[in-house]
Amino acid sequence: MGEDATGVGQPRKRYRTRNWREYDRGLISRGDLTVWISPDLAWHAVKDAGGRGRPREFTDAAIQAVLTLKVLYQLPLRAVQGMAGSLIRLAGLDWRVPHYSTLSRRQRDLVVTIPYRPRRGPLHLVIDSTGLKVLGEGEWKVRKHGADKRRVWRKVHLIIDADSHEVRAVEMTDHRHGDGEIVPGLLAQVPEGERIGVISGDGAYDTRGVYEASTERKAALIVPPRRNGKPWKSRTTGSAERNETLRAIRRLGRRLWKRWSGYHRRSLAETAMSRLKRLGERLAARDPARQIAEVQIRCVILNTFNSLGMPKTVPLV
């Protein structure tokens, strides 16, 4: 049973998918290999006769396409080399196949392009973070015998478009970095020409740096103050907005404020985190540079899935 703003128990809302046939076709298309590798792809790099050193044989798009297959199907480098070669042969193309050592080397400095669909009007962005494992045992072993000291995690920070559910920005840090200090770098990944209307986040983003970053983008910030939060001085950037939120929570209660402000849309970021982890809760790469490319490729996969079809749901009365 859910609860309304007054705390009275209410049945949870049920939803119906209105475009199931279209969405079903999109789910099937997610396994179509032609989505990830196409004859129209620019595969071989144009050789520059005046450049120094050995010219690159493959474009970044070709390396990204093969690494996408690796991440999507959770293959080792040698296996994905064989898979890409078989696809090229089946397509009747005369392309050369990147060697697994080339894939490993190029992944370190690969510039990954994350596609997204342009939107009209101001954006509503939701932000959150999660952890992906690098080293450590599985959950069963931890539950049975306890955690080992060598468990290593990387922290992934995402900004999600609340309307399209697409990843618009991604950063990866270690566990020592706080959530709030990463926000300016995340917002810098959203083009200046796109207007941001609202940014939503949990209490971890109740910091002065986050308010300053949202003010620079002229965006409203929906972030609940911490439980022991005190009013800020008037000369602090964002103090008027935050202090008004603090007064509203004290007057209405935190539960009612969340419903009234639309704070619950922030849960879309948690949904995106869950989808990200379905591609694997463990990072295959060992060094941070390759791990960044791996996480960015995961975001490419999620956005491509969205472009193939999303469910349109309506609440049942």
Side-chain angles (χ1 to χ4, degrees):
M1 301 287 287
E3 294 186 356
D4 62 8
T6 61
V8 180
Q10 296 289 337
R12 292 185 180 275
K13 284 186 177 181
R14 300 180 63 186
Y15 295 85
R16 173 181 294 173
T17 301
R18 300 293 299 272
N19 64 332
W20 177 250
R21 184 173 299 178
E22 175 187 346
Y23 180 50
D24 190 47
R25 288 195 298 266
L27 293 175
I28 295 173
S29 298
R30 294 183 181 187
D32 189 346
L33 292 175
T34 60
V35 172
W36 310 104
I37 182 168
S38 167
D40 298 329
L41 184 66
W43 192 263
H44 293 110
V46 178
K47 296 183 179 180
D48 184 8
R52 297 182 61 185
R54 182 179 179 180
R56 288 185 171 180
E57 186 175 2
F58 303 98
T59 63
D60 282 347
I63 299 298
Q64 180 174 327
V66 179
L67 290 176
T68 299
L69 295 175
K70 175 185 182 299
V71 174
L72 182 61
Y73 297 103
Q74 301 184 26
L75 299 173
L77 285 171
R78 290 173 174 82
V80 78
Q81 177 185 342
M83 183 179 190
S86 65
L87 291 175
I88 290 173
R89 289 193 299 272
L90 290 172
L93 301 172
D94 59 350
W95 295 350
R96 291 181 294 276
V97 183
H99 194 266
Y100 65 85
S101 62
T102 300
L103 294 172
S104 177
R105 184 177 64 255
R106 292 284 297 275
Q107 182 178 349
R108 188 187 301 112
D109 57 354
L110 180 65
V111 179
V112 178
T113 302
I114 301 178
Y116 65 90
R117 292 166 290 177
R119 302 188 59 81
R120 297 179 179 178
L123 300 173
H124 184 166
L125 303 179
V126 294
I127 183 171
D128 206 351
S129 65
T130 189
L132 290 176
K133 192 188 306 181
V134 179
L135 293 174
E137 314 86 346
E139 300 306 319
W140 184 89
K141 194 268 182 185
V142 173
R143 181 183 293 268
K144 187 75 174 177
H145 304 288
D148 185 67
K149 295 181 180 180
R150 296 184 66 247
R151 291 168 65 89
V152 179
W153 296 77
R154 292 288 183 265
K155 202 171 184 179
V156 178
H157 308 261
L158 295 181
I159 284 184
I160 308 296
D161 186 336
D163 296 314
S164 66
H165 298 250
E166 292 179 328
V167 178
R168 294 303 313 270
V170 57
E171 289 280 357
M172 193 176 69
T173 63
D174 56 32
H175 65 279
R176 292 186 294 271
H177 289 78
D179 291 346
E181 62 185 280
I182 309 301
V183 172
L186 286 170
L187 292 179
Q189 297 181 31
V190 181
E192 291 287 344
E194 293 190 70
R195 181 186 171 193
I196 302 176
V198 180
I199 301 173
S200 300
D202 57 25
Y205 300 96
D206 179 35
T207 66
R208 289 174 172 80
V210 174
Y211 274 90
E212 291 174 359
S214 63
T215 300
E216 290 180 2
R217 296 302 297 263
K218 300 179 180 179
L221 189 62
I222 302 179
V223 169
R226 301 174 188 270
R227 293 285 180 178
N228 58 349
K230 304 297 181 182
W232 287 352
K233 297 181 179 180
S234 58
R235 63 174 179 270
T236 304
T237 303
S239 61
E241 183 179 5
R242 182 184 180 278
N243 292 344
E244 179 60 31
T245 298
L246 197 59
R247 285 191 293 268
I249 290 176
R250 290 175 177 175
R251 183 171 61 252
L252 304 175
R254 189 170 291 262
R255 186 187 303 275
L256 182 57
W257 173 83
K258 288 181 178 181
R259 292 173 61 90
W260 169 75
S261 65
Y263 168 79
H264 290 298
R265 295 198 75 185
R266 184 203 60 82
S267 63
L268 294 173
E270 297 178 359
T271 302
M273 299 297 182
S274 175
R275 296 169 63 223
L276 184 76
K277 289 189 175 182
R278 288 185 182 183
L279 296 172
E281 295 195 7
R282 183 189 297 269
L283 291 168
R286 288 294 176 262
D287 65 288
R290 293 185 177 90
Q291 290 169 353
I292 292 173
E294 182 178 341
V295 170
Q296 290 173 338
I297 288 173
R298 291 191 185 197
C299 296
V300 172
I301 294 173
L302 294 184
N303 286 5
T304 305
F305 281 171
N306 289 346
S307 66
L308 294 174
M310 291 288 291
K312 297 178 181 178
T313 58
V314 293
L316 296 176
V317 179

